[in-house]
Amino acid sequence: MAGGCRLLPLLLLGLGTAAAGGMLYPRDTPSRERKELGGLWSFRADFSPGRDAGFAQRWYRRPLRQTGPVIDMPVPSSFNDITQDPSLENYIGWVWYEKEVLLPLRWLQGDLNTRVVLRFGSAHYYSIVWVNGVQVVEHEGGHLPFEADISSIVKGSPGVPCRITVALNNTLTPYTLPPGSIQYMNDKTRYPKNYFVQNIRFDFFNYAGIHRPVVLYTTPSVYIDDITVTTTSSQSVAMVQYQVSVVGSTLYSLSLSLRDQEGKVVATGDGPAGELKVLNPNLWWPYLMHENPGYRYSLEVKMQVRVNGVLLEDVYTLPVGIRTVHVTSTQFLINGRPFYFHGVNKHEDADIRGKGLDWPLVMKDFNLLRWLGANSFRTSHYPYAEEIMDLCDAYGIVVIDECPGVGIKMPESFGNKSLQHHLVVMEELIRRDKNRPSVVMWSVANEPASELPPAANYFKTVIAHTKALDPSRPVTFVTDVNYALDRGAPYVDVICVNSYFSWYHDPGHLEVIPLQLTTQFENWYKAYQKPIIQSEYGADSVPGLHSDPPLMFSEEYQKAMLREYHSVFDKKRKEYVIGELIWNFADFMTNQGTTRVLGNKKGIFTRQRQPKSAAFVLRERYWKIANESSCLPPIIKSHSLFLK
C-alpha cells in the first residue's frame, strides 16, 4: 500500500478520556426533536505522502469541494467497498466527510433555552468534528457513540446551512482497541518509496467510515442527562431502582411514571433517586423461555424547572425490562431459572455497506435468528449498533456485550497506555448499554495473549473496573489459551473458551473432537469451578461444495464437526456447560490471505444470508433444546411445527 513518509496519523492526538455525563439514545419526545443526517455526504481521502494535507491546508475551514475533488459517500456505511478504486478499498489514514444541513428555524431563533446536539452513533476509528470550521469534539474508538453541544455555533445564523466536517482515521496502533501496527517496507528493490501496510491480529476486515446514524437533536437548556435503572424481583413484586441526573440547574423537580405495555401506570416516583414498586410484574424473559419474551415497561421521566421566569420541561422515556441475572458454579440464572445459551457469534458485515447500519439486513438477521431457534449472541468483537441492541431487548435475544478488545497479542498492548484506554472504552460501553435487559454479561476481550505475565494485572484491573461501574452483571473475557497458562481467567465470573478441534488443530480428523473437547471442559472446570460457555467452534464451508466422506471445506464436513461437538455438549450441559455459540452466524469479509477465499466461510449462512446445510442441523438442535426446557410453556412447544 502506497503511503506517507513515516505515517504517524495519530501523532497529532492524545488518547482520549470518556466524556462525563450520560449518553441517552436520541428520541423524539414532547420536549425533544431529532433530525437524521443520513444519506450522501461529500467525501475525500487524503492521499498526500504524510496523509496530513487536510490538516496542513485546513480543509475544515471551507467547503470540502473547494479543497479538491470530492465524491458522494453514503452514510451510514463503510467507505471501502463503495467505489471501484482499489486504493480506497485498502486505504489507511485520514479521510474527510462533509454534510451541509439547514436547521429548523425554531431551533435557532435566539431562544437560549434550546440546546442543539450533534451525535454520531459510531465512526471508525479516530474522529475529529468541526461545525462551521469550529472544532466541537474529538473521539477515539470505532464502535461507540459520541456527541457535542453545538448550540453556540449554529445560533444566530438562521437560514444559513450548518456545515459539518469530519476527519476520520482508521489507523490501528499497539495502543488502540483493537490494536494493530504500521509496518514500513524499506527494501527499495521490492517496494515503492514510502510503502507501508497495516498489520492486525484479528480475522475480520478493518472496515472504516461513519458506520452508524448521525443525528441532530434538541433538549431544553436544563435537561435530563442520564438515567440508570436496575431491577430486582420475586414472583409477586419487583423493585425498579433508578437514578436520574439533570444538567443546567439544581432547582428542578422530577416525576417518574412506569407504564406497562397497555399504557397503564403501575408505579410512580419523584426525585433524582428512588425505588418503584411493581406488583405482579411482567418479567423480561428470553426468546423461547416464555410465551411473551422481551416484555418492557416504559419509564417516563419528567423534569420541570423555572429559568428566568420561564417554565422549562424535559421529558424522556426509557424502556425498562425487569429481570435478574445470577451465576452459580454450574448455572447461569435469569429470573431464577437456568438459562442455556444456544446461539451464535455475529459480525456487523455485509456486501457493499461493510459495517454500515442497514435496516433490511438487520431485520433479515433477526428473522433468521428466530427461525434458527437461537436465544442469544455475542457481539463479536465490538459493540453493535444501538438499533440492533434495541431489537434484542424487544425480541428477548440475550446478549454477551463485548468491547473491541480483540487481537491484544503484543506485549506493548498490555502496558499502562493501553490499559487506560481500555478502561475508558468500558466506561463508554457501560454508559451506553447499562439499562438493557438483553445484556446479561460484559466481555472485556476476545482471545488476548492472556498467558503473558502482564495479562494478570491487566485483566484484574479491567474486570474490577467493569464490576465497579456495573455490579449487577457478571464479567468475562473469551480465551483460547491453555487453562493452566491463562493469567486472566481467575478474575472472570464465567469461563468462555474458543476451540477449533479438527480444524486449526488436527485438521481433517473429526475423530479427535470427543476426547479433546471433553478434556478441555474437565480441565477448565477442575481448575476454576465456574460455569463454561463454548464461545466459539466451527469449520469453514464453501457453499455448494460437497464431499462424502466429509472433507474439509465441504458442507458435509461442517455438519459432521457440529455433530461431534454437540455430542459432548449434551453430556456436559447436564453438569456445568451453560452455552454454545457457533462461529459464525454468516460468512464475513477478512483481509486477503492464502487461507481466506473472499473472507471467512465459517458461517452457517452465506454472506448473503442464505442457509448452508449446517443451518438446518443447528435449527433442529436449538428447537429441540428449547422444547426440552422444563420451563417452556405449551404455546411455545407447539411452535415446533416450524421444524416441519
Side-chain angles (χ1 to χ4, degrees):
M1 180 184 307
C5 46
R6 297 301 174 199
L7 179 74
L8 292 173
L10 298 181
L11 192 61
L12 300 169
L13 315 167
L15 288 171
T17 57
M23 190 56 69
L24 295 174
Y25 187 77
R27 304 182 189 278
D28 284 306
T29 77
S31 61
R32 298 177 177 219
E33 291 184 77
R34 55 177 274 162
K35 182 179 179 67
E36 298 263 0
L37 302 185
L40 295 181
W41 290 49
S42 295
F43 177 89
R44 184 179 180 189
D46 185 346
F47 284 104
S48 64
R51 301 293 201 252
D52 57 355
F55 292 98
Q57 299 168 19
R58 300 182 180 180
W59 289 356
Y60 52 87
R61 296 290 295 272
R62 51 186 172 147
L64 194 60
R65 63 184 177 275
Q66 296 179 8
T67 70
V70 297
I71 61 173
D72 289 332
M73 185 61 65
V75 170
S77 77
S78 303
F79 63 72
N80 308 79
D81 294 347
I82 300 298
T83 76
Q84 302 307 109
D85 185 351
S87 64
L88 200 56
E89 171 75 24
N90 295 296
Y91 178 86
I92 300 295
W94 290 102
V95 299
W96 292 72
Y97 286 80
E98 181 189 82
K99 181 83 166 179
E100 291 188 345
V101 57
L102 277 172
L103 303 187
L105 198 59
R106 62 186 175 276
W107 291 13
L108 306 174
Q109 284 183 318
D111 181 1
L112 298 178
N113 291 327
T114 299
R115 177 173 165 265
V116 181
V117 182
L118 173 63
R119 186 188 200 267
F120 291 77
S122 81
H124 187 77
Y125 175 80
Y126 203 116
S127 306
I128 308 176
V129 182
W130 296 263
V131 173
N132 296 339
V134 179
Q135 183 175 328
V136 295
V137 67
E138 193 172 316
H139 182 259
E140 180 180 11
H143 311 277
L144 290 164
F146 55 96
E147 65 183 27
D149 183 337
I150 63 170
S151 310
S152 61
I153 298 171
V154 299
K155 289 192 174 182
S157 303
V160 177
C162 169
R163 181 167 49 85
I164 301 166
T165 308
V166 183
L168 187 61
N169 194 315
N170 63 340
T171 306
L172 300 178
T173 76
Y175 315 109
T176 57
L177 212 62
S181 61
I182 295 293
Q183 181 180 2
Y184 288 89
M185 304 304 191
N186 296 320
D187 185 345
K188 293 184 174 60
T189 66
R190 301 179 64 196
Y191 301 100
K193 185 180 179 182
N194 298 325
Y195 192 88
F196 69 91
V197 294
Q198 168 81 77
N199 291 322
I200 55 176
R201 300 290 292 273
F202 52 84
D203 187 34
F204 55 92
F205 193 80
N206 184 33
Y207 279 114
I210 300 176
H211 283 154
R212 296 176 190 160
V214 184
V215 300
L216 287 163
Y217 73 92
T218 65
T219 74
S221 57
V222 181
Y223 60 97
I224 299 163
D225 178 61
D226 198 17
I227 305 169
T228 303
V229 167
T230 56
T231 63
T232 57
S233 66
S234 64
Q235 197 166 13
S236 59
V237 64
M239 306 303 293
V240 178
Q241 296 86 20
Y242 66 86
Q243 286 186 305
V244 180
S245 67
V246 172
V247 170
S249 175
T250 58
L251 302 175
Y252 57 87
S253 64
L254 277 172
S255 61
L256 298 90
S257 301
L258 189 69
R259 299 177 186 270
D260 64 18
Q261 290 188 352
E262 284 68 51
K264 178 185 175 183
V265 176
V266 298
T268 60
D270 56 60
E275 195 169 55
L276 306 178
K277 184 177 182 179
V278 184
L279 299 177
N280 302 312
N282 291 299
L283 301 183
W284 186 94
W285 287 102
Y287 177 54
L288 298 180
M289 207 170 173
H290 193 271
E291 67 267 19
N292 188 13
Y295 191 98
R296 294 180 298 167
Y297 293 84
S298 296
L299 179 63
E300 182 187 81
V301 183
K302 184 180 292 186
M303 184 278 306
Q304 290 185 322
V305 66
R306 193 165 291 277
V307 177
N308 298 326
V310 177
L311 182 65
L312 294 185
E313 183 174 270
D314 191 21
V315 179
Y316 190 88
T317 301
L318 180 75
V320 172
I322 297 174
R323 65 106 183 93
T324 59
V325 172
H326 183 63
V327 176
T328 74
S329 62
T330 59
Q331 291 181 316
F332 195 99
L333 304 175
I334 296 180
N335 299 329
R337 293 183 182 174
F339 177 77
Y340 186 77
F341 296 78
H342 47 89
V344 302
N345 294 277
K346 291 181 91 277
H347 266 299
E348 289 182 313
D349 172 277
D351 290 329
I352 300 174
R353 78 270 298 154
K355 290 193 180 303
L357 179 72
D358 179 75
W359 274 113
L361 180 76
V362 169
M363 287 312 307
K364 181 66 173 179
D365 281 3
F366 273 93
N367 286 328
L368 288 174
L369 284 170
R370 293 187 292 179
W371 173 88
L372 194 64
N375 63 9
S376 54
F377 66 76
R378 174 169 62 118
T379 68
S380 47
H381 298 300
Y382 37 81
Y384 290 177
E386 290 158 285
E387 293 78 5
I388 292 174
M389 305 298 285
D390 281 343
L391 289 175
C392 292
D393 289 341
Y395 294 162
I397 302 298
V398 170
V399 177
I400 300 172
D401 205 352
E402 189 162 272
C403 84
V406 58
I408 307 177
K409 302 290 190 182
M410 299 175 284
E412 56 265 48
S413 295
F414 288 94
N416 191 56
K417 188 175 182 181
S418 296
L419 176 60
Q420 293 306 312
H421 178 51
H422 203 145
L423 300 180
V424 168
V425 169
M426 292 312 301
E427 290 172 22
E428 293 185 353
L429 175 58
I430 291 170
R431 179 177 62 179
R432 193 195 77 166
D433 288 347
K434 63 188 174 183
N435 295 319
R436 298 191 176 279
S438 61
V439 175
V440 300
M441 185 157 57
W442 306 111
S443 171
V444 302
N446 176 77
E447 295 187 1
S450 49
E451 76 280 6
L452 297 178
N457 180 68
Y458 189 94
F459 285 109
K460 180 181 180 180
T461 304
V462 172
I463 291 171
H465 184 66
T466 303
K467 286 177 172 290
L469 293 167
D470 177 21
S472 71
R473 290 178 177 87
V475 181
T476 189
F477 74 88
V478 176
T479 184
D480 63 348
V481 171
N482 182 282
Y483 79 100
L485 302 176
D486 197 304
R487 296 171 183 264
Y491 307 107
V492 303
D493 298 302
V494 173
I495 301 292
C496 289
V497 59
N498 295 348
S499 56
Y500 289 90
F501 304 126
S502 86
W503 191 258
Y504 295 123
H505 312 283
D506 301 294
H509 293 280
L510 294 165
E511 66 275 8
V512 306
I513 292 174
L515 175 60
Q516 293 185 2
L517 185 58
T518 299
T519 301
Q520 167 199 279
F521 285 142
E522 291 177 352
N523 284 340
W524 276 105
Y525 192 73
K526 183 179 179 181
Y528 289 104
Q529 302 290 301
K530 296 174 182 177
I532 302 172
I533 295 174
Q534 183 73 38
S535 40
E536 286 183 27
Y537 71 105
D540 286 76
S541 69
V542 177
L545 184 64
H546 296 286
S547 173
D548 186 24
L551 297 179
M552 292 178 70
F553 293 98
S554 69
E555 293 195 43
E556 285 74 20
Y557 193 90
Q558 188 180 37
K559 287 198 302 180
M561 171 180 280
L562 263 57
R563 290 190 169 117
E564 293 291 347
Y565 268 82
H566 295 165
S567 66
V568 179
F569 294 162
D570 284 340
K571 295 174 185 175
K572 293 303 180 183
R573 68 187 175 99
K574 297 173 184 175
E575 303 176 47
Y576 46 75
V577 170
I578 60 167
E580 54 190 78
L581 304 177
I582 187 71
W583 188 269
N584 190 283
F585 173 74
D587 294 345
F588 56 92
M589 189 52 64
T590 64
N591 276 356
Q592 297 181 70
T594 53
T595 61
R596 296 283 176 252
V597 183
L598 292 178
N600 189 305
K601 294 291 192 290
K602 291 189 181 67
I604 58 168
F605 298 99
T606 67
R607 201 181 189 208
Q608 295 73 36
R609 273 49 179 184
Q610 295 304 312
K612 304 178 190 176
S613 301
F616 296 95
V617 172
L618 270 186
R619 183 176 189 237
E620 181 177 359
R621 173 173 178 78
Y622 285 177
W623 280 97
K624 182 171 183 283
I625 291 172
N627 277 314
E628 288 173 354
S629 171
S630 60
C631 61
L632 201 62
I635 188 172
I636 300 296
K637 291 187 177 181
S638 70
H639 287 182
S640 59
L641 59 89
F642 289 138
L643 296 176
K644 296 178 182 177

